[in-house]
Amino acid sequence: MGPWFLYGDLLPFIAMVSVECTNVGANTLLAAAWSQVMSYYVFIVYSHAISTLVLLPVPFSFYRAAAEIKLPLLYRICVLALIGFLGQIVGTKGLEYSSPTLSSAMSNLTPAFTFAFAVLFRMEKVAMRRSSSQAKIVGTMVSIGGALVVLFYKGPTILSTISPTNTISFRWPLGSAMSDWIIGGLLLATQCLLGSLWYIIQAEILKIYPEELIVTFVYTSCVTIISAPVCFVAESNLDAWLLKPHMALLAILYSGIFAQSYSTVIHSWGLRLKGPLYVTIFRPLSIAIAAFMGVLFLGDALHLGIIIGALIISMGFYTVIWGKANEERSSEEQDFSDLRSTQRVPFLQTPINDM
């Protein structure tokens, strides 16, 4: 195991797992904050503003690289920020209709959507006769099927909190009817679609400008600028913008520092190093984390449909991983073979000294 294994394989794996834990923690805190009637418009603006403040030293520390940002690149980042803002609006509303566990389960659609976009934009190779391509396609379809199971089959309760005394007092603003569950799932699926497009555009931006910290700072700044006027109009109650030291403030600080700053930087680094499909295939891990946190801290009930759907999605997830690993192994072997063939000098071309 050399330095490349540590930097190119082990470190990205650990980083992606930590991001999933961070994002699920943010969703759990956000759901708990809604028990105190926090506006998600306020949450979006303040969390990105906090993220911008956290990353404020970045352009001063890397001022030479920051000076290289031109208008075409800035336009791309602004489009990325608009997509990210729309995705967060849709996702937060979907979370309000459903639960953090369903949000994490539906987020497993992101690898499938990302794979489809990557093929469309020629970032992933598909050769129908190769087992690696067949595995990626089958895994993608299986993941979508698992998400549909989660969406349309809630099923009986498998696990719930017996005593509510150890959980955070929590209530869903819009109830938990089956119609709300389906609406929430559809909104969360739309967030996954927008998120997949976000990853593809972000990967293209990083090909042009491979500076993750600066791109993240400009991105969070743009989201703050875009979201502020829209959210101020949507949330006209001025009292909602006054934060007090309770769960809502904790959710905003945690999301701004970790879910926005840390996660975006790590995802950007992973996109540049491994590509969009690798970054998104870790999403199925979030279902187990969310289910545990939801039952433990929010008093959520764990339903059979989520377990079955998560297992199906995980099967698709590992099928895509297998196909991706085989594809990379075949590519490395081909590159090594081409290198050896170029270095080999034919016998008949060896120079012969004149006698």
Side-chain angles (χ1 to χ4, degrees), residues 301-350:
L302 184 61
H303 296 278
L304 179 62
I306 290 180
I307 296 177
I308 295 175
L311 289 175
I312 296 174
I313 290 170
S314 297
M315 290 172 59
F317 162 71
Y318 288 113
T319 304
V320 174
I321 285 182
W322 182 86
K324 186 68 175 173
N326 270 14
E327 185 180 71
E328 291 179 352
R329 191 180 303 113
S330 300
S331 179
E332 289 175 358
E333 290 175 356
Q334 182 65 36
D335 292 342
F336 181 71
S337 177
D338 293 342
L339 181 63
R340 291 190 63 182
S341 64
T342 56
Q343 291 178 344
R344 188 182 297 117
V345 180
F347 175 75
L348 295 178
Q349 293 183 8
T350 54

Side-chain angles (χ1 to χ4, degrees), residues 101-164:
T101 306
L102 180 63
S103 175
S104 296
M106 293 302 296
S107 71
N108 297 325
L109 272 176
T110 305
F113 289 146
T114 303
F115 174 65
F117 278 127
V119 172
L120 182 63
F121 290 101
R122 299 181 180 180
M123 299 176 73
E124 287 286 334
K125 298 178 181 178
V126 174
M128 296 302 298
R129 294 183 179 181
R130 291 185 178 181
S131 59
S132 59
S133 295
Q134 293 171 1
K136 291 192 294 185
I137 294 173
V138 171
T140 299
M141 299 304 296
V142 169
S143 296
I144 294 174
L148 292 176
V149 170
V150 173
L151 180 59
F152 293 109
Y153 176 66
K154 196 171 184 180
T157 301
I158 300 299
L159 181 64
S160 62
T161 305
I162 299 176
S163 175

